[in-house]
Amino acid sequence: MPTSGSSNLWRTTSAEAFDAPPLSSDITVDLVIVGGGFTGASAALEAARSGASVALLEAGTFGHGGSGRNVGLVNAGLWLPPKDVLGILGETDGKRLIKALSNGPDIVFGLIEREGIDCEPVRQGTMHLAHSAAGLTNLRARFEQGALAGRSYELIDAAETANRTGTDRFAGALLDPGAGTIQPLAYCRGLARAAQSVGAHLHENSPVTAIAHDGKDWRITSGAHRVRARALLIATNAYQAHFGAPFAQKFIPVHYSQFATAPMPDSLRAKVLPNGEGCWDTALIMSSFRTDRAGRLIVGGIGDAEGMGALIHAGWARRKLRQIYPDLAKLPFEHHWSGRIAMTSDHVPKIVAPGPSALAVFGYSGRGICPGTVFGKAAARALLDGDDSVLPLPVLSGHDENLTGAKAAWYEFGATATHALFPRP
């Protein structure tokens, strides 16, 4: 179980320090953005670099929401296999989305290099691990879709998987050598720093209290001040404010928690993920693990480690660590934290138009770094140029999700029950 209370490792270790003042005066800009995560920061950077005036209002601090609580896997595409994406969206729109997201790692790592973002980037690939023989069958099907996804996947056997991970608990893996890992909060802060350096007006601790359109421009109110803009982007994702219709976004909130050990001894660090790949598995209630620059092992899984099932999720993390890496069984967890994911029923992101020259982007369903960066960049271009064709998906007039509270409770119940029943040694 955690030894030092709930604390977000990424906040402790972020090499990128960033802060911005609250909105303190009325301003007029070309584009106003609500939400300071990957999507909003990427959009602000793109808009400012293009020469447009842009203001971003964040209710808390940059990366406060899911972006600063992310696992940090820089993966291409969605959780869905490409054929499933085509089945949901059709050939034209499906290929449009797949193509846009297949370039995600190149875009993310390119921004990190261009802007000098100190976010522990490691581009040694990510591995989707087969937790069973059935999981390996699933990975073979995904491997066969590699060309469709625009990725050069490698299907590796159990022996090579053990060599790369330092554990023999998996039947094989699907390796994407062009993917990688980052410190997600540092990446988000780095995007914000870069946007500010080229003229973006960034404001933290500036919750939006009203959104209205006056027939010409958008008027966004925060406290006693107002931003006027011809275009609006809502990028709050799973941490949206209590906006009324038509600005409210419908999704299923799902929690994901992570547990970070103390740094491993050098002797074990050389054996556990020695190349620095990030991993997640094929289990129905999936889990993830990766290392950071200091050699901590970070174990993650669906469930709220700060909610009613906290002790169950913490106990699962300890047993999971013991199962995968017995030599680390006594290494203490020094940090644990949770974040919310905006899940959609079909696991496809949504772009909704809540009004003229306005977009709301949300629903990455657990894969936020590349989609957030790609969608934010594209949304800024679409709003500034008036050209929706640059977007990864068609714009919807609205999106609805039924029984979101019940579905969220079901996800948490399933994760808690699974973690409670996870084998004990």
Side-chain angles (χ1 to χ4, degrees), residues 22 60 74 79 126 140-141 170 230 270 272 276 296 389:
V74 184
W79 293 117
T126 58
R140 288 195 183 101
F170 299 98
R230 64 180 176 85
V272 174
R296 300 175 181 88
S389 69

Side-chain angles (χ1 to χ4, degrees), residues 29-244:
V29 293
D30 297 316
L31 171 65
V32 60
I33 301 167
V34 182
F38 299 135
T39 305
S42 172
L45 177 58
E46 176 67 17
R49 277 209 171 274
S50 74
S53 58
V54 55
L56 191 158
L57 304 180
E58 162 57 42
T61 58
F62 276 83
H64 166 77
S67 297
R69 303 164 194 264
N70 194 282
V71 177
L73 303 185
V74 184
N75 281 319
L78 302 174
W79 293 117
L80 292 173
K83 285 187 178 179
D84 289 5
V85 174
L86 295 177
I88 293 168
L89 296 176
E91 285 286 319
T92 300
D93 292 338
K95 288 181 178 179
R96 175 179 171 183
L97 178 61
I98 291 168
K99 181 179 179 181
L101 295 184
S102 69
N103 297 323
D106 288 341
I107 293 171
V108 169
F109 285 108
L111 283 171
I112 290 169
E113 182 176 6
R114 187 187 79 184
E115 306 297 344
I117 300 175
D118 189 356
C119 61
E120 306 184 20
V122 178
R123 199 171 187 183
Q124 293 291 337
T126 58
M127 291 186 288
H128 196 175
L129 303 170
H131 78 293
S132 65
L136 188 57
T137 299
N138 175 275
L139 294 184
R140 288 195 183 101
R142 288 176 178 264
F143 172 72
E144 292 170 358
Q145 298 178 44
L148 185 62
R151 307 298 295 174
S152 298
Y153 294 138
E154 298 176 19
L155 190 64
I156 59 178
D157 61 18
E160 178 62 14
T161 301
N163 182 56
R164 286 177 174 271
T165 60
T167 176
D168 61 2
R169 298 297 302 186
F170 299 98
L174 187 66
L175 170 69
D176 184 347
T181 64
I182 58 173
Q183 211 275 26
L185 177 59
Y187 173 62
C188 185
R189 287 176 172 176
L191 291 175
R193 170 184 55 76
Q196 187 180 64
S197 73
V198 289
H201 301 273
L202 304 186
H203 299 284
E204 295 180 318
N205 301 306
S206 300
V208 171
T209 53
I211 304 175
H213 195 268
D214 64 9
K216 179 183 178 183
D217 293 324
W218 288 99
R219 292 175 287 116
I220 311 301
T221 303
S222 177
H225 302 288
R226 180 177 293 172
V227 178
R228 179 180 289 271
R230 64 180 176 85
L232 164 69
L233 173 62
I234 298 176
T236 50
N237 204 31
Y239 286 76
Q240 68 166 339
H242 298 289
F243 302 142

Side-chain angles (χ1 to χ4, degrees), residues 282-307:
T282 56
L284 180 61
I285 302 296
M286 64 151 284
S287 58
S288 61
F289 59 95
R290 57 160 297 188
T291 56
D292 72 348
R293 180 182 286 169
R296 300 175 181 88
L297 185 72
I298 305 159
V299 179
I302 294 174
D304 186 0
E306 298 168 12

